[in-house]
Amino acid sequence: MKISYNWLKQFLKIDWDSHKTAELLTDLGLEVEGITPFESVKGGLKGIVVGEVLTCIKHPNADKLKLTTVNTGGEAPLQIVCGAPNVDVGQKVAVATIGTTLYTAEGEAWVIKKGKIRGEESHGMICAEDELGLGESHDGIMILPDTLKVGSLCSEVFEIEVDEVFEIGLTPNRADAMSHFGVARDLKAGFKQKDILKELITPPVTNFNIVNRSLKIDVEVVKSELAPRYCGITISNLIVQPSPDWLKNRLKSIGITPKNNVVDATNYVLHELGQPLHAFDAAKIKGHKIVVKTLPKGTKFTTLDGVQRILSEEDLMICDTEKPLCIAGVLGGENSGVTESTSSVFLESAFFNPVSVRKTAKRHGINTDASFRFERGIDIDNVEYCLKRAALLIHEIAGGDITSDIVDIYPKKKDDYHVFLTFDKIHKLIGQEIPKDTIKSILASLDIKVKNVTESGLGLSIPFYRVDVQREVDVIEEILRVFGYNNVEFKEKLNASIAPTSKFEDYKIQNIIGNFLASKGFNEILANSLSSPAYNELSADIKEEHTITMLNPLSTDLSVMRQSMLFSGLEAIAHNSNRQMHNLKIFEFGKTYHQYQTNREEKKHLSMLVTGNRLEDTWTSPPKKTDFFYLKAIVENLLNRLGLTELNSQPTSSDILSEGISLKIAKREVVVLGVVKKSVLKAFDIKEEVLYADFDWDYILEAIVSNQIIYKEIPKYPEVKRDYALLVDESVTFKQIHDIAQQTERKYLTNVNLFDVYNGKNLPEGKKSYAVSYTLQDENGTLTDKQIDKIMNKLLQRYESELGAELR
């Protein structure tokens, strides 16, 4: 937000250096991010002086040029070559001397130098309006009044305004400081804390006078909950023309382009007092009536920017008896605004529901100075005062008469907030005892009224415009920022208590697993919990009735809470793939959100996605694609790291996976993993295969608490390995072979590993070959060949009887 220092001085008589004032503003919570100099004419007319043309003859070598001598108050007149048709002897002119910097209309700088034009020396330049930035005319040189003294500085003749503009990083809660008056009000409180008493000067409206009642515009507010207060008045017989220079300069200094005196007046009051206003051409209001209402969904409306918009049934509109005129609090209509032919206006000043305005602005992708303020909340008690201020300003610069009573529809008056502030709470939160008189003084400087005083605290009435101050802690924050964070004393002694924590704390387990996955080449992401409703259509498992929709979405693409971790992960995959990053391994700890009939639930997950090659390409090894078994191994190792080994697997019925499995502990699903469907990937324009795993993190935290970790001594005796090449039916899985082995030999069998699968020629039809290794070990002695053969024969017999297996 831009704040003009000169403008600010109209409310407070400040003689401080701008940097010192900026420091105070920052201490008060209005952080000044930068100070930019402003000149009403770029360059400030430095080097431009008043000159008098002494001689003017035709250039000897050019038909359209003239050779002049000009007295600029120096030791000798200057010879200047001039191409203007209107230059003549005796004229007072603006002369740019050698070394002066001028600027083009596009803002490019160029320097006046001594030179020769068609063989004749030229020691300066006689300037036209547009060359100085004082106008747009280039028909000839600018002729100045004869009364001006030769050699006078043009910067003084034309009263160039020099200003400094603060760029304030306004936080969303400080709706009260969205104007020069609001910033001045805070400065006054800061000065008072420093025992510098400054009077806050407010623009007077005492001379507001209704000349006659010849132009009455009726107002009907149909949606009073969306427009709690609506004021309006008519002004007739005005003349729309360019604004005076002082008004233009004020607006230019804060980056506003002047349009005409009526529109500029409304913009001036908006930035002066924080109240958005809108001027309608009264002749374009059909039926002499304003109706504040919503319109049917699908209604078309063209705004001032020439864009035709499709309205929602929730958009509050300002209408006449036939058509819509304006999107309330956001943007005016193309055919209802003030033009050069306007002679009478209906001036609107209102308070619109902040949530309604924000929804409408975001829905249509519009961001205006008015919507910026309405969204955050303005001062409802200031609506009528600002209307009078704007009406008087328009009368001053555009003429015209006030030709109606003020229409003020305010059916339900907004009450101030009431808070009881305890002195103990102040001390507890700030950590320092502030004198009670200081507290009262700060509160008074912030327009917070003390209604009653007790030994324990203060009963306070907080003005409605302080929408961010509604609780006791909010008031304490206000006291502290004015008192000064830098004034809070630091104690030499620091007291702290150590609380016992469990080794199963969520963040500790997350760190363990995060480090584990990082060691496997994974990168952690942190995605937005807000998602697009379009993603819900990609899976039948996501139910529309379980969706939580944002009441005030930032955009349509971020309007619902996510029900699946997959889609935000796929967004990250797509983003990186589009930037030539194809080998990706990512994981995220996050939540999904679900609406049920009686309550809402948050469920915590760990999600993993892999795509591309397992490792980056090197000359030492050929590239190898990630596949289902690679992800499955990572998942099982992760669960083993947490001590969760008793897992049951079965095919998954997940709607987003083309194939996959579900791992369960007892009967509860702990993780689902598999290959993401191509139809889902297509929605993100992902062409590579993506593998996905989704952990029920809440259940994992429950399971590991009850999991018993058994420690045992490392065996002293050697392991023995034996292999079988088993010919089995294609339907037989390795899990069946693994489970049979574990059931058959519980004492000595420590590991079963599948190291080769063959399915091809020289095998009977419908058969495949598993190469399986078995690791045997006795903790108390060395196994003999007889013991080993007995165990292996037992295994083979069970394979033959239960699986129909044969040795190859």
Side-chain angles (χ1 to χ4, degrees), residues 37-50 94-103 110-112 125 127 131-134 151-163:
F38 168 79
E39 294 168 325
S40 57
V41 174
K42 192 162 186 178
L45 298 184
K46 292 171 184 166
I48 312 294
V49 297
V50 175
V95 179
T97 56
I98 291 174
T100 299
T101 301
L102 296 179
Y103 297 86
W110 59 287
V111 180
I112 301 295
M125 174 178 167
C127 301
E131 291 166 336
L132 297 176
L134 295 172
S152 301
L153 299 177
C154 284
S155 58
E156 297 175 356
V157 170
F158 291 100
E159 298 180 352
I160 302 302
E161 181 168 352
V162 178
D163 197 358

Side-chain angles (χ1 to χ4, degrees), residues 415-448:
D415 295 325
D416 290 345
Y417 303 110
H418 297 283
V419 171
F420 187 78
L421 177 67
T422 56
F423 297 123
D424 287 343
K425 187 77 169 182
I426 298 172
H427 185 197
K428 181 179 179 182
L429 288 184
I430 295 178
Q432 178 177 328
E433 190 166 345
I434 299 176
K436 294 179 181 179
D437 288 342
T438 302
I439 292 171
K440 293 176 184 177
S441 175
I442 291 172
L443 293 173
S445 69
L446 294 171
D447 292 340
I448 298 176

Side-chain angles (χ1 to χ4, degrees), residues 360 403 443 783 798:
T360 296
T403 52
L443 293 173
L783 288 170
R798 287 204 59 181

Side-chain angles (χ1 to χ4, degrees), residues 347-393:
L347 188 61
E348 167 196 279
S349 178
F351 178 96
F352 297 118
N353 182 283
V355 174
S356 172
V357 172
R358 181 168 177 79
K359 283 184 177 181
T360 296
K362 293 301 178 184
R363 189 180 296 118
H364 296 291
I366 304 172
N367 183 26
T368 61
D369 286 334
S371 67
F372 178 83
R373 285 157 178 79
F374 279 126
E375 286 172 14
R376 288 157 178 78
I378 61 170
D379 186 358
I380 196 169
D381 293 327
N382 230 21
V383 170
E384 184 183 8
Y385 165 74
C386 292
L387 181 67
K388 291 180 177 180
R389 166 63 174 153
L392 289 172
L393 185 56

Side-chain angles (χ1 to χ4, degrees), residues 188 355 381 432 480 759 785:
K188 178 194 172 186
V355 174
D381 293 327
Q432 178 177 328
L480 181 55
N759 191 348
D785 289 341

Side-chain angles (χ1 to χ4, degrees), residues 719-734:
E719 295 178 341
V720 178
K721 289 191 176 181
R722 291 290 187 270
D723 299 336
Y724 271 151
L726 299 172
L727 188 65
V728 296
D729 293 336
E730 285 188 344
S731 60
V732 174
T733 65
F734 171 66

Side-chain angles (χ1 to χ4, degrees), residues 23-30 174 186-187 189-191 481-482:
E23 288 179 10
L24 178 56
L25 284 171
T26 300
D27 289 343
L28 289 166
L30 300 176
R174 291 305 307 277
D186 250 28
L187 268 180
F191 281 130
R481 72 178 182 84
V482 176

Side-chain angles (χ1 to χ4, degrees), residues 12 82 105 143 284 617 707 736 760:
L12 287 173
C82 180
I143 300 173
K284 297 175 183 178
D617 296 348
N707 188 52
Q736 291 174 283

